[in-house]
mmCIF file of all heavy atoms in Angstrom:
data_model
loop_
_atom_site.group_PDB
_atom_site.id
_atom_site.type_symbol
_atom_site.label_atom_id
_atom_site.label_comp_id
_atom_site.label_asym_id
_atom_site.label_seq_id
_atom_site.Cartn_x
_atom_site.Cartn_y
_atom_site.Cartn_z
ATOM 1 N N GLY A 203 -12.753 10.463 3.182
ATOM 2 C CA GLY A 203 -12.185 11.130 4.262
ATOM 3 C C GLY A 203 -10.604 11.119 4.272
ATOM 4 O O GLY A 203 -10.149 10.059 4.337
ATOM 5 N N LEU A 204 -10.058 12.267 4.129
ATOM 6 C CA LEU A 204 -8.595 12.283 4.082
ATOM 7 C C LEU A 204 -7.932 11.715 5.266
ATOM 8 O O LEU A 204 -6.767 11.330 5.279
ATOM 9 C CB LEU A 204 -8.094 13.629 3.693
ATOM 10 C CG LEU A 204 -8.076 13.991 2.078
ATOM 11 C CD1 LEU A 204 -7.750 15.466 1.931
ATOM 12 C CD2 LEU A 204 -7.026 13.062 1.387
ATOM 13 N N ASP A 205 -8.594 11.783 6.414
ATOM 14 C CA ASP A 205 -8.066 11.171 7.646
ATOM 15 C C ASP A 205 -7.745 9.767 7.555
ATOM 16 O O ASP A 205 -6.953 9.156 8.258
ATOM 17 C CB ASP A 205 -8.860 11.570 8.877
ATOM 18 C CG ASP A 205 -10.320 11.058 8.708
ATOM 19 O OD1 ASP A 205 -10.789 11.025 7.578
ATOM 20 O OD2 ASP A 205 -10.894 10.615 9.718
ATOM 21 N N ARG A 206 -8.403 8.997 6.593
ATOM 22 C CA ARG A 206 -8.332 7.631 6.365
ATOM 23 C C ARG A 206 -7.101 7.299 5.453
ATOM 24 O O ARG A 206 -6.860 6.125 5.371
ATOM 25 C CB ARG A 206 -9.513 7.068 5.710
ATOM 26 C CG ARG A 206 -10.698 7.029 6.540
ATOM 27 C CD ARG A 206 -11.252 5.580 6.472
ATOM 28 N NE ARG A 206 -12.500 5.448 7.182
ATOM 29 C CZ ARG A 206 -12.367 4.971 8.425
ATOM 30 N NH1 ARG A 206 -11.380 4.591 8.985
ATOM 31 N NH2 ARG A 206 -13.571 4.818 9.199
ATOM 32 N N LEU A 207 -6.572 8.269 4.782
ATOM 33 C CA LEU A 207 -5.513 8.042 3.918
ATOM 34 C C LEU A 207 -4.217 7.932 4.647
ATOM 35 O O LEU A 207 -3.616 8.993 5.187
ATOM 36 C CB LEU A 207 -5.501 9.203 2.777
ATOM 37 C CG LEU A 207 -4.321 9.225 1.819
ATOM 38 C CD1 LEU A 207 -4.239 7.836 1.118
ATOM 39 C CD2 LEU A 207 -4.569 10.272 0.800
ATOM 40 N N LYS A 208 -3.695 6.755 4.829
ATOM 41 C CA LYS A 208 -2.571 6.480 5.733
ATOM 42 C C LYS A 208 -1.223 6.338 4.987
ATOM 43 O O LYS A 208 -0.089 6.434 5.618
ATOM 44 C CB LYS A 208 -2.708 5.270 6.532
ATOM 45 C CG LYS A 208 -4.040 5.212 7.339
ATOM 46 C CD LYS A 208 -4.133 6.344 8.291
ATOM 47 C CE LYS A 208 -5.337 6.187 9.306
ATOM 48 N NZ LYS A 208 -5.541 7.346 10.090
ATOM 49 N N ALA A 209 -1.319 6.046 3.684
ATOM 50 C CA ALA A 209 0.008 5.899 2.950
ATOM 51 C C ALA A 209 -0.183 6.047 1.384
ATOM 52 O O ALA A 209 -1.361 6.020 0.960
ATOM 53 C CB ALA A 209 0.533 4.349 3.119
ATOM 54 N N VAL A 210 0.822 6.292 0.784
ATOM 55 C CA VAL A 210 0.826 6.652 -0.667
ATOM 56 C C VAL A 210 1.792 5.722 -1.379
ATOM 57 O O VAL A 210 2.917 5.498 -0.969
ATOM 58 C CB VAL A 210 1.065 8.108 -1.027
ATOM 59 C CG1 VAL A 210 1.090 8.271 -2.546
ATOM 60 C CG2 VAL A 210 0.096 9.011 -0.414
ATOM 61 N N HIS A 211 1.402 5.034 -2.467
ATOM 62 C CA HIS A 211 2.206 4.329 -3.409
ATOM 63 C C HIS A 211 2.561 5.294 -4.566
ATOM 64 O O HIS A 211 1.631 5.705 -5.309
ATOM 65 C CB HIS A 211 1.576 3.029 -3.928
ATOM 66 C CG HIS A 211 1.641 1.908 -2.929
ATOM 67 N ND1 HIS A 211 0.942 0.696 -3.250
ATOM 68 C CD2 HIS A 211 2.308 1.784 -1.871
ATOM 69 C CE1 HIS A 211 1.114 -0.101 -2.211
ATOM 70 N NE2 HIS A 211 1.922 0.573 -1.257
ATOM 71 N N LEU A 212 3.841 5.819 -4.626
ATOM 72 C CA LEU A 212 4.179 6.766 -5.635
ATOM 73 C C LEU A 212 4.750 6.052 -6.905
ATOM 74 O O LEU A 212 5.927 5.659 -6.835
ATOM 75 C CB LEU A 212 5.246 7.692 -5.010
ATOM 76 C CG LEU A 212 5.524 8.944 -5.712
ATOM 77 C CD1 LEU A 212 4.281 9.854 -5.633
ATOM 78 C CD2 LEU A 212 6.721 9.656 -5.192
ATOM 79 N N ASN A 213 3.969 6.023 -7.888
ATOM 80 C CA ASN A 213 4.394 5.350 -9.122
ATOM 81 C C ASN A 213 3.906 6.200 -10.360
ATOM 82 O O ASN A 213 2.897 6.817 -10.329
ATOM 83 C CB ASN A 213 3.645 4.092 -9.208
ATOM 84 C CG ASN A 213 3.834 3.156 -8.061
ATOM 85 O OD1 ASN A 213 5.093 2.841 -7.773
ATOM 86 N ND2 ASN A 213 2.876 2.522 -7.515
ATOM 87 N N ASP A 214 4.678 6.237 -11.440
ATOM 88 C CA ASP A 214 4.239 6.693 -12.683
ATOM 89 C C ASP A 214 3.487 5.651 -13.425
ATOM 90 O O ASP A 214 3.582 4.415 -12.897
ATOM 91 C CB ASP A 214 5.404 7.230 -13.501
ATOM 92 C CG ASP A 214 5.095 8.449 -14.351
ATOM 93 O OD1 ASP A 214 3.936 8.383 -14.915
ATOM 94 O OD2 ASP A 214 5.918 9.305 -14.598
ATOM 95 N N SER A 215 2.780 5.895 -14.431
ATOM 96 C CA SER A 215 2.036 4.883 -15.168
ATOM 97 C C SER A 215 2.474 4.900 -16.689
ATOM 98 O O SER A 215 2.686 5.897 -17.251
ATOM 99 C CB SER A 215 0.543 5.300 -15.032
ATOM 100 O OG SER A 215 -0.158 4.359 -15.957
ATOM 101 N N LYS A 216 2.632 3.613 -17.201
ATOM 102 C CA LYS A 216 2.930 3.504 -18.712
ATOM 103 C C LYS A 216 1.784 3.825 -19.523
ATOM 104 O O LYS A 216 1.943 3.968 -20.738
ATOM 105 C CB LYS A 216 3.240 2.112 -18.955
ATOM 106 C CG LYS A 216 4.637 1.500 -18.420
ATOM 107 C CD LYS A 216 5.001 0.187 -18.968
ATOM 108 C CE LYS A 216 6.150 -0.404 -18.335
ATOM 109 N NZ LYS A 216 7.443 0.250 -18.505
ATOM 110 N N ASN A 217 0.503 3.972 -18.964
ATOM 111 C CA ASN A 217 -0.606 4.159 -19.844
ATOM 112 C C ASN A 217 -1.378 5.396 -19.459
ATOM 113 O O ASN A 217 -1.244 6.040 -18.415
ATOM 114 C CB ASN A 217 -1.604 2.904 -19.591
ATOM 115 C CG ASN A 217 -0.827 1.691 -20.161
ATOM 116 O OD1 ASN A 217 -0.732 1.568 -21.400
ATOM 117 N ND2 ASN A 217 -0.424 0.803 -19.279
ATOM 118 N N PRO A 218 -2.308 5.857 -20.475
ATOM 119 C CA PRO A 218 -3.057 7.026 -20.188
ATOM 120 C C PRO A 218 -4.210 6.866 -19.163
ATOM 121 O O PRO A 218 -4.539 5.791 -18.830
ATOM 122 C CB PRO A 218 -3.659 7.297 -21.579
ATOM 123 C CG PRO A 218 -3.670 6.014 -22.448
ATOM 124 C CD PRO A 218 -2.487 5.210 -21.819
ATOM 125 N N ILE A 219 -4.691 8.025 -18.706
ATOM 126 C CA ILE A 219 -5.722 8.015 -17.751
ATOM 127 C C ILE A 219 -6.917 7.173 -18.261
ATOM 128 O O ILE A 219 -7.242 7.182 -19.328
ATOM 129 C CB ILE A 219 -6.105 9.485 -17.462
ATOM 130 C CG1 ILE A 219 -7.165 9.599 -16.349
ATOM 131 C CG2 ILE A 219 -6.727 10.134 -18.718
ATOM 132 C CD1 ILE A 219 -7.451 10.980 -15.822
ATOM 133 N N GLY A 220 -7.468 6.402 -17.197
ATOM 134 C CA GLY A 220 -8.631 5.636 -17.528
ATOM 135 C C GLY A 220 -8.342 4.358 -18.286
ATOM 136 O O GLY A 220 -9.348 3.677 -18.676
#
Side-chain angles (χ1 to χ4, degrees):
L204 276 171
D205 56 324
R206 286 229 181 268
L207 179 49
K208 305 293 187 193
V210 176
H211 283 170
L212 193 71
N213 303 308
D214 213 326
S215 173
K216 285 192 195 295
N217 292 291
I219 186 170

